[in-house]
Amino acid sequence: MLLKKHISIVLAVGFSAFLLAPAAGARTQASAATSLLRAVNHTRTAHGLRPLRLDTRLIRAARSHSVQMLRGNYFSHGDFSGRMVAFHVRGPAAGENLAWGNGSYAQPASIVAEWLASPEHRANLLHPGWTRIGIGVVRGTFLGNGGSTVVTADFAGR
């Protein structure tokens, strides 16, 4: 009887861990996106710009693109305009920054520093017309590198 009870407990714990793993992964991704949002808004305010607010449509578009890049093992904007239409993103204009890295290169401060060092990415990050942002962060093996972080940041105006 004791052995049967022990096996039941082990199975229950194992099953619970299986069920909670996706939720834990989602929390980690949300936390990473929140940290990157803080770094983006800190940089924008340091340059005299308004902080960006999260937009659910942009978040869904950014997450979807990050997942597609990770699964497809590619790093490209792809059909950005089509993606904005597909996710019903509205506004006069939109932009996108991408990043990927491992270890310290996947940290928000490093990502923002790399974007600031690139004229095109800097222009998106510091565009005064942007008011909204969506950030998609996924982790996994990317381009042969385990433990990689792939990031999409989608920006839009009013």
Side-chain angles (χ1 to χ4, degrees), residues 6-94:
H6 180 70
I7 290 172
S8 296
I9 291 171
V10 169
L11 287 174
V13 170
F15 185 67
S16 297
F18 176 74
L19 288 176
L20 295 175
R27 278 193 301 274
T28 301
Q29 291 171 1
S31 174
T34 300
S35 296
L36 184 55
L37 175 64
R38 278 193 216 110
V40 164
N41 281 338
H42 176 78
T43 301
R44 287 180 58 85
T45 57
H47 285 86
L49 299 169
R50 289 185 181 173
L52 302 175
R53 64 179 167 77
L54 289 173
D55 178 278
T56 56
R57 290 179 177 149
L58 289 169
I59 291 168
R60 285 194 300 268
R63 282 183 184 159
S64 172
H65 191 57
S66 290
V67 167
Q68 287 179 346
M69 285 192 297
L70 183 73
R71 287 183 181 161
N73 213 33
Y74 70 92
F75 189 70
S76 169
H77 294 282
D79 183 10
F80 173 70
S81 296
R83 193 166 53 257
M84 294 299 102
V85 170
F87 284 92
H88 308 286
V89 173
R90 307 209 189 292

Side-chain angles (χ1 to χ4, degrees), residues 89-109:
V89 173
R90 307 209 189 292
E96 182 172 74
N97 283 357
L98 304 176
W100 81 273
N102 292 27
S104 64
Y105 293 105
Q107 297 302 311

